[in-house]
Amino acid sequence: MLSENIRRYEYDKTFLFYKEMASLLKELKPYEEFNWIKEFDSAAAQQVARDLEIALKNAFSKGRLQRFPKHKISYKKQKLHNDSFRAVNNSNCIRIEDGAISIPKVGKVPIILHRELASKIKTVTIQYRHGKWECSITQEVECKAAKRVLHGIVGFDINSKQTVVGSNGFVAENPKFLKQSKAKLTQLQRQLARRNKGSNRWQETKQRINKLHGKISRQRLDFAHKISRQITNESDILCFENLNVRAMQKFNGSMVTDNVMGLITQLSKYKAEIEGKLYHEIGRFQKSTGICLECSQHHTLSLSDRNFTCTACQTYQSRDLSAAKSIVRTGELDLIAAGIVARVNPASQHKSAIKTKVFELLKFAAGY
Ligand SMILES: [Zn+2]
């Protein structure tokens, strides 16, 4: 399909849309030279056509960085290749029973399930990653109704050391095991450089690196899930900074490349949505670091300044906490200005040590 699209594009600057590709697939099937099409699930082939249509459309939409799609390296040429396909559960053709998953044209494959299924399976993506076959199963889950009364608003700052700091005093350090795994990775990469490229021992080290990459990504995901669960449980409104990750990557090098920050915000967002809570991102160019938490005086800090003293009111403070407080202030103003929430006085205001701000939802904000 991609070859055909490249050919057409070169010929008269047109390309095929999904419907045309789907009917082309059907037309090709009877020909002997296209017999191989029958060897795999037709719904999976249609999904590839859908993805290709998206890739082609993206290449031509303004403001996007995607180029015209290219052919991927063939499976034969590259041993360590992340290969995948997506199957659709038409008329219950994908089932999980007796510890095995039934996949169209593949049959039953033993599966290790990481959680109970919540509802009917919609699609399953089968992918070869880090030396293992993985299934991602999509299901429909209903979100809880939006909360009318929201208790508590917290802002979060994720700094370059990947420590998450909340305006309520929440702190989660970048876990040690990630650092350990990364040190191991550097060691293996040095080993790989010493080996003869393509030799058996080189392949061995390459395999070990690949496995370790898998471990690190699983550790990272686990950490991000735990943190996002904890912070979503603690408050009804979550404010984050819309991180210009690309710009930060340039600034901090590899520290941000493994993007735990993006993961935590992404996972918190859907967790908040499922529970009818509010997730808000403050603008990308809103300054949040170096603003005094007492008097809002602005300061210019360098990356190494973890703490600073306010030049106006002399408060000594942590850079991360003041950033988190500034994020929550901006977030609250944003939400009130947009008419999404209003501050209300709680019905029974007990004199407790910790005051929780209470809000009322005024309008349902899609995308929040
Ligand atoms: Zn100050």
Side-chain angles (χ1 to χ4, degrees):
M1 285 297 152
L2 180 55
S3 300
E4 177 62 14
N5 273 303
I6 291 170
R7 194 187 66 78
R8 284 190 191 225
Y9 188 71
E10 278 171 359
Y11 179 66
D12 62 358
K13 298 273 178 254
T14 60
F15 57 81
L16 296 167
F17 285 99
Y18 169 70
K19 274 196 175 161
E20 296 160 306
M21 286 193 262
S23 55
L24 191 57
L25 272 171
K26 263 186 212 156
E27 284 167 33
L28 290 174
K29 254 184 196 175
Y31 294 96
E32 208 176 317
E33 53 183 311
F34 287 105
N35 251 341
W36 51 271
I37 294 180
K38 292 177 198 156
E39 279 171 35
F40 55 84
D41 175 25
S42 59
Q46 284 164 8
Q47 292 296 310
V48 177
R50 265 186 213 284
D51 292 345
L52 183 56
E53 187 198 59
I54 292 170
L56 287 164
K57 280 182 176 169
N58 281 347
F60 290 98
S61 60
K62 276 181 188 165
R64 287 225 175 220
L65 296 167
Q66 280 98 329
R67 302 253 172 89
F68 202 92
K70 275 193 286 193
H71 283 290
K72 285 185 181 166
I73 305 159
S74 82
Y75 189 70
K76 275 177 197 163
K77 275 184 194 161
Q78 196 147 339
K79 247 187 170 178
L80 306 166
H81 177 85
N82 292 348
D83 212 2
S84 79
F85 70 96
R86 187 166 69 243
V88 186
N89 193 8
N90 290 326
S91 54
N92 212 23
C93 61
I94 300 167
R95 293 178 306 273
I96 294 178
E97 46 199 13
D98 308 326
I101 183 165
S102 306
I103 304 160
K105 297 269 177 168
V106 176
K108 282 185 179 180
V109 183
I111 189 170
I112 300 167
L113 266 186
H114 290 107
R115 67 195 63 188
E116 292 294 311
L117 296 185
S119 62
K120 217 185 124 217
I121 295 169
K122 290 195 76 180
T123 66
V124 59
T125 303
I126 292 127
Q127 188 175 27
Y128 187 72
R129 281 185 78 202
H130 309 302
K132 281 177 187 160
W133 286 97
E134 291 177 356
C135 287
S136 300
I137 298 165
T138 57
Q139 297 177 277
E140 228 162 78
V141 179
E142 236 169 83
C143 296
K144 285 184 189 164
K147 280 193 157 193
R148 292 265 134 225
V149 181
L150 300 140
H151 292 268
I153 179 166
V154 185
F156 294 95
D157 177 67
I158 307 175
N159 66 32
S160 55
K161 291 208 170 82
Q162 300 178 354
T163 306
V164 187
V165 177
S167 57
N168 58 350
F170 174 90
V171 179
E173 297 273 349
N174 185 15
K176 271 212 180 84
F177 54 75
L178 271 178
K179 277 184 205 155
Q180 283 163 1
S181 298
K182 276 176 206 155
K184 181 86 197 161
L185 186 65
T186 327
Q187 189 207 327
L188 282 175
Q189 268 156 350
R190 273 197 209 113
Q191 198 182 69
L192 187 73
R194 281 199 304 272
R195 305 247 189 270
N196 284 330
K197 200 173 175 182
S199 70
N200 278 343
R201 302 191 71 186
W202 182 87
Q203 292 287 7
E204 236 170 65
T205 310
K206 187 93 185 161
Q207 212 86 36
R208 283 179 71 192
I209 289 177
N210 199 25
K211 261 179 103 176
L212 189 58
H213 271 300
K215 185 179 175 178
I216 293 173
S217 79
R218 285 190 302 274
Q219 284 179 325
R220 189 182 299 139
L221 187 64
D222 177 63
F223 170 67
H225 264 302
K226 280 176 181 154
I227 297 299
S228 56
R229 168 51 58 214
Q230 205 178 340
I231 60 183
T232 327
N233 283 352
E234 280 175 7
S235 169
D236 285 352
I237 306 176
L238 309 173
C239 299
F240 279 94
E241 210 169 358
N242 183 331
L243 296 158
N244 189 344
V245 178
R246 195 176 286 242
M248 288 203 65
Q249 270 174 1
K250 267 190 193 157
F251 209 67
N252 293 345
S254 67
M255 270 199 295
V256 202
T257 321
D258 53 29
N259 202 4
V260 174
M261 328 162 95
L263 256 185
I264 291 175
T265 52
Q266 226 179 309
L267 298 178
S268 304
K269 186 176 182 195
Y270 93 81
K271 286 190 170 87
E273 277 167 2
I274 278 182
E275 289 176 22
K277 298 181 171 187
L278 268 184
Y279 170 94
H280 176 70
E281 262 177 25
I282 69 164
R284 182 170 293 185
F285 300 108
Q286 292 270 12
K287 189 179 155 71
S288 64
T289 44
I291 298 172
C292 173
L293 53 84
E294 291 292 337
C295 70
S296 303
Q297 171 79 22
H298 286 228
H299 303 81
T300 311
L301 303 177
S302 74
L303 257 182
S304 56
D305 296 334
R306 301 319 307 173
N307 297 294
F308 68 99
T309 308
C310 176
T311 52
C313 71
Q314 268 73 50
T315 312
Y316 183 70
Q317 56 201 284
S318 129
R319 167 213 188 93
D320 301 328
L321 185 64
S322 65
K325 294 220 178 198
S326 149
I327 290 168
V328 75
R329 263 201 308 272
T330 315
E332 188 180 335
L333 290 175
D334 280 359
L335 289 168
I336 290 172
I340 293 158
V341 297
R343 274 291 291 281
V344 286
N345 288 322
S348 56
Q349 181 70 288
H350 294 296
K351 280 188 179 169
S352 60
I354 311 151
K355 274 184 208 156
T356 320
K357 285 185 178 177
V358 182
F359 298 87
E360 191 184 20
L361 191 71
L362 295 181
K363 74 177 178 202
F364 182 69
Y368 270 90

